[in-house]
Amino acid sequence: MPVLPVPMFIALLLAGFLIYRLVLRETHPSLLALVAICSFQSAILSLVQYYGVMELKPLQVLGATVVPPAVWIAFAHAAGDDGGIRRWALHAVGPVLAILVLVTIPMLLDVLIPLSFAAYGAAMLLRLGSGEVSLPHSRLQSGGIPLLAWRIIALSLIASAACDVAIAFGLSRGSSVALYWLPSLLSSLSLLSLGVLGLSQSMESQRDEPQETISPTPVDADRDRSILATLDAYLATHKPFKDPDLTLDRLSRRVLVPAKQLSAAINRTSGENVSRYINRRRIDEACALLLAGQTVTTAMLESGFNTKSNFNREFLRVKGASPSKWLQEQKLSLKVRSPVPNSVIEPITERQRR
């Protein structure tokens, strides 16, 4: 009975994810390109390692050098840095250098490829050090999930480089038999994690609004309060939080405050990050809808959430109870506070007089 190699299975799985996302037309092209590259690389790895198609070995090497730049370009868009043709052209240096090394000194690839993975992973972690401000295009309802996902991707790049070094060291010590299957398995798992995380709904970079922003200015306590007052007034009037695709970048453009300045003002004044601050408004809106008689699902969708897991998690954080339990408590509280009807009071009063 024929057995499908793990890398080929992962390649087909990622290809299926890619087709699904293409049909939905909701995922940014940079993320789609990343998944396509991961699927292609996994398929090439399978053909070379398991089917012996050694003619594709150069493509395997080239693909390995393309993965880190592809990850960075997808991450850069999510970080609001679209760059330009000249800037992105710099990322072609690695693959071009790999081709030259493959032709001249192939042994240097054992250094070049892990170095590329580690360098891009470290650069991403450094960029992510500023927190959610580093991902202004991520959906605010997702909380810290996009930040965590991109950190996992960065760590995956570094871990892949470390594994390559460990494998090279093991081979140099004569452990070739024990490590025969390990490189392809680790590479396949790394490609799978990159592809799946790249297609995570919370990481999708959403559309931008072509509105002009203003230059940042020094911020003090009074300015923070002024920014928050402007933001709260806009939230109360226009309720942009009802849009599930709302991002920090879009919100900052609407209130005409730079993203970093807006995020800093919210952090210093309220003690919350932007995601929690906006989700708190969404929960308040959902509570009003529940009290008005709407169902939990309707309240969830109308307040700006599109997944029950996020809605329930944020509702519990803000209100300390699930939506249904909170609604029951509110109804019970209203009954307790309601005055007793006169028709009930009068007979008791008459009996007391007798």
Side-chain angles (χ1 to χ4, degrees), residues 278-295:
I278 294 301
N279 282 342
R280 186 178 291 275
R281 298 300 183 278
R282 285 173 167 149
I283 294 302
D284 290 340
E285 179 73 11
C287 288
L289 292 170
L290 289 173
L291 291 175
Q294 298 292 341
T295 64

Side-chain angles (χ1 to χ4, degrees), residues 134-210:
S134 60
L135 298 173
H137 292 282
S138 296
R139 291 171 173 169
L140 292 176
Q141 72 155 303
S142 301
I145 295 177
L147 189 64
L148 176 62
W150 279 115
R151 282 175 175 162
I152 292 175
I153 288 179
L155 291 173
S156 296
L157 292 178
I158 296 174
S160 180
C163 288
D164 286 344
V165 173
I167 290 169
F169 178 77
L171 292 175
S172 67
R173 299 292 297 272
S175 303
S176 58
V177 176
L179 294 174
Y180 175 76
W181 53 271
L182 192 57
S184 61
L185 178 61
L186 293 176
S187 297
S188 299
L189 293 177
S190 178
L191 291 170
L192 179 62
S193 65
L194 290 176
V196 173
L197 288 171
L199 287 181
S200 172
Q201 183 183 25
S202 61
M203 289 175 60
E204 292 177 4
S205 300
Q206 303 302 317
R207 61 190 183 277
D208 302 331
E209 292 187 344

Side-chain angles (χ1 to χ4, degrees), residues 221-242:
D222 292 336
R223 177 57 62 87
D224 287 346
R225 286 192 289 268
S226 177
I227 289 175
L228 233 62
T230 301
L231 174 62
D232 288 340
Y234 185 84
L235 293 176
T237 304
H238 300 281
K239 298 186 177 182
F241 51 79
K242 299 181 75 171

Side-chain angles (χ1 to χ4, degrees), residues 31 71-81 124 127-153 202-206 208 245-250 259-260 263 274-275:
L31 289 175
V71 172
W72 178 264
I73 291 173
F75 165 71
H77 178 82
D81 181 13
M124 287 176 61
R127 184 79 175 266
L128 290 167
S130 57
E132 65 177 359
V133 179
S134 60
L135 298 173
H137 292 282
S138 296
R139 291 171 173 169
L140 292 176
Q141 72 155 303
S142 301
I145 295 177
L147 189 64
L148 176 62
W150 279 115
R151 282 175 175 162
I152 292 175
I153 288 179
S202 61
M203 289 175 60
E204 292 177 4
S205 300
Q206 303 302 317
D208 302 331
D245 290 337
L246 182 65
T247 65
L248 173 59
D249 180 72
R250 295 178 63 196
K260 290 185 179 180
S263 176
V274 181
S275 299

Side-chain angles (χ1 to χ4, degrees), residues 25-70:
R25 297 182 180 181
E26 293 180 351
T27 306
H28 191 267
S30 60
L31 289 175
L32 294 175
L34 172 60
V35 177
I37 291 172
C38 290
S39 177
F40 174 81
Q41 179 66 4
S42 190
I44 294 297
L45 180 64
S46 176
L47 292 173
V48 173
Q49 296 289 340
Y50 291 89
Y51 295 101
V53 188
M54 301 309 295
E55 293 81 4
L56 297 178
K57 184 69 175 179
L59 282 180
Q60 180 186 349
V61 174
L62 180 62
T65 59
V66 169
V67 169

